[in-house]
Amino acid sequence: MDRNLYTPDHDAFRDSVRKFVEREVAPHLRTWEEQRLVDRRLWQAAARQGIVGLAVPEEYGGGGESDIRFRAVVMEELAAIGAASVQLGFSLTEDIALPYFLELTDEEQKRRWLPGLAAGDLITAVAMTEPDAGSDLQGMRTSAVRDGGHWLLNGAKTFITNGTQADLVVVAARTDPSAGSRGISLFVVERDTPGFSRGRKLEKIGLHGQDTAELFFHDARVPAENLLGEPGHGLRSLIQCLPRERLAIAMGAQAAAEAAFGWTLEYVRDRRAFGRPIAAFQNTAFTLAELRTALDVSQAFIDRAMLAANDGRLTVEDAAKAKWWATELQQRVTDRGLQLHGGYGYMAEYPIARAFLDGRVQSIYGGTNEIMKEIISRQLIQPG
């Protein structure tokens, strides 16, 4: 499909990203999967290449480029080699955490944190999900109480991407128990904060190279100047940032689905059965036709959503549509692709097998797809 989405600048950037991925990512994927962790040096190398910190303003050492299409290029190139764990780690920093640091920080906070983010020296995490509350942000129990020049944080967070090695963690906590949704605030908890500890590195069925952890706060003493935004405005800030997060998940899912389709197409063209290529059988051909059509239709919607995001027009509902649709499509493509690989699709050495496991979580995080449908349906049935 001729997308007409990218300019020559994006094409030149893609060439640079592709060379970086071949040199700095592909040779190390197996090692990172085994150690359950992507080396920190990759963030620094990516920053030197202009891949990390691209949206950080130039005065703080970044690229000053907010065009989300550049992020799509990075996602597509990482997906092409099956580097889902790297893609998630980068996306957490660039698409999910960075907007909080760009939009909610004051000048002193920007000077303190943005240069390190731009240089790849600081890795970020966002800690919202709790063991008992799940996706229900209003049900969170983590609390913060003012104590002179500090806030004392108490509680636990779980399923935190980059949780093991994050230097800066954006933490949501309840600061006014009587204020309901207006009683939640955001804090930046730094690595060496007293009372802040990390639990075990969680064992997952996929994304083995990406570190996911539990975080604990026991009277964690967070300086008052680490309050992010206005007190009590945390939920509002979360809601404002969620559309970008969900679009990023959709972009990553679309890129992964496209890669899985490409691997499958190559396999069925080369693999022969009963004297002819598997691709020549009608069932295979029809499956490929269905998946190709679904991918093209999905890509058109996501491209439109990316342009809307660039212009500040992305709606909560369209982000939810993109997220649930693309992640469901990713799972459908990888499932059908694995089936067409036959027994080899079940072998871990084949990228389609890893993609099948890596992609399963996509319909869960960022708000489950059931919640996405709830968001869409509310807009449809509300009066007026």
Side-chain angles (χ1 to χ4, degrees):
M1 180 179 65
D2 184 6
R3 295 169 65 184
N4 293 320
L5 181 73
Y6 295 121
T7 69
D9 286 343
H10 297 107
D11 294 336
F13 181 68
R14 182 183 299 279
D15 183 63
S16 175
V17 173
R18 183 170 295 168
K19 292 176 181 176
F20 173 85
V21 169
E22 291 173 353
R23 182 180 68 251
E24 302 287 350
V25 179
H28 307 290
L29 284 179
R30 182 179 293 275
T31 298
W32 293 335
E33 294 257 323
E34 292 172 353
Q35 69 185 21
R36 299 295 198 264
L37 195 74
V38 174
D39 289 345
R40 293 179 62 90
R41 64 153 191 87
L42 186 65
W43 269 263
Q44 297 166 328
R48 290 193 296 270
Q49 196 72 29
I51 295 171
V52 164
L54 190 64
V56 175
E58 292 181 6
E59 59 264 37
Y60 304 106
E65 181 55 74
S66 60
D67 184 349
I68 198 172
R69 290 176 291 181
F70 287 101
R71 286 290 305 132
V73 168
V74 176
M75 292 178 182
E76 289 164 6
E77 293 305 312
L78 288 171
I81 66 163
S85 294
V86 176
Q87 145 58 17
L88 178 57
F90 278 4
S91 188
L92 190 287
T93 293
E94 298 294 295
D95 304 308
I96 300 175
L98 187 56
Y100 292 100
F101 289 93
L102 293 177
E103 298 170 18
L104 300 179
T105 48
D106 58 31
E107 184 57 33
E108 186 277 332
Q109 291 172 328
K110 284 182 169 64
R111 290 197 304 269
R112 185 149 48 109
W113 293 321
L114 289 183
L117 293 174
D121 294 332
L122 296 178
I123 296 175
T124 60
V126 177
M128 308 296 168
T129 305
E130 297 187 358
D132 296 326
S135 297
D136 179 13
L137 296 178
Q138 296 193 50
M140 71 174 60
R141 297 183 180 180
T142 299
S143 64
V145 177
R146 188 66 183 258
D147 180 35
H150 291 78
W151 289 84
L152 298 182
L153 263 65
N154 284 281
K157 302 289 183 177
T158 193
F159 308 141
I160 307 306
T161 302
N162 291 350
T164 300
Q165 57 182 347
D167 304 288
L168 304 175
V169 185
V170 178
V171 180
R174 192 169 293 282
T175 50
D176 186 350
S178 65
S181 63
R182 297 184 179 180
I184 296 173
S185 303
L186 301 180
F187 300 88
V188 176
V189 178
E190 298 176 278
R191 168 176 289 277
D192 297 325
T193 299
F196 168 42
S197 62
R198 306 165 203 254
R200 62 193 176 95
K201 192 185 302 179
L202 300 175
E203 292 289 333
K204 309 183 297 292
I205 65 170
L207 293 171
H208 291 156
Q210 193 283 312
D211 62 305
T212 304
E214 299 170 314
L215 306 181
F216 301 100
F217 308 93
H218 299 287
D219 285 334
R221 295 185 61 80
V222 180
E225 56 267 26
N226 282 26
L227 177 70
L228 198 57
E230 297 294 325
H233 288 192
L235 189 59
R236 182 188 307 175
S237 299
L238 289 171
I239 292 172
Q240 291 174 346
C241 291
L242 278 174
R244 168 64 186 261
E245 174 181 345
R246 287 165 178 164
L247 176 58
I249 294 172
M251 291 160 55
Q254 182 74 26
E258 191 67 56
F261 181 84
W263 301 327
T264 302
L265 183 60
E266 180 180 10
Y267 180 84
V268 299
R269 282 173 172 171
D270 294 340
R271 182 73 174 176
R272 299 179 69 84
F274 304 103
R276 54 178 173 159
I278 295 175
F281 290 90
Q282 186 182 71
N283 177 71
T284 303
F286 280 13
T287 297
L288 293 172
E290 292 168 3
L291 296 180
R292 182 69 268 163
T293 302
L295 284 165
D296 288 349
V297 173
S298 179
Q299 188 69 72
F301 183 83
I302 291 173
D303 286 354
R304 190 181 77 177
M306 281 194 281
L307 295 177
N310 277 348
D311 296 337
R313 297 181 291 105
L314 179 65
T315 66
V316 172
E317 293 78 20
D318 279 353
K321 292 173 187 175
K323 193 269 180 185
W324 90 257
W325 179 264
T327 57
E328 295 280 350
L329 178 60
Q330 176 187 0
Q331 291 173 21
R332 176 151 55 103
V333 172
T334 52
D335 179 73
R336 299 307 302 155
L338 190 153
Q339 184 72 20
L340 290 176
H341 276 72
Y344 290 104
Y346 204 64
M347 299 297 107
E349 64 193 83
Y350 278 75
I352 193 70
R354 298 192 301 274
F356 178 80
L357 294 174
D358 290 341
R360 184 58 186 87
V361 72
Q362 291 273 69
S363 60
I364 297 174
Y365 59 31
T368 66
N369 283 0
E370 289 75 18
I371 290 178
M372 298 304 99
K373 295 174 186 179
E374 179 72 17
I375 291 170
I376 299 163
S377 65
R378 286 176 188 170
Q379 188 266 342
L380 293 174
I381 63 179
Q382 65 184 2

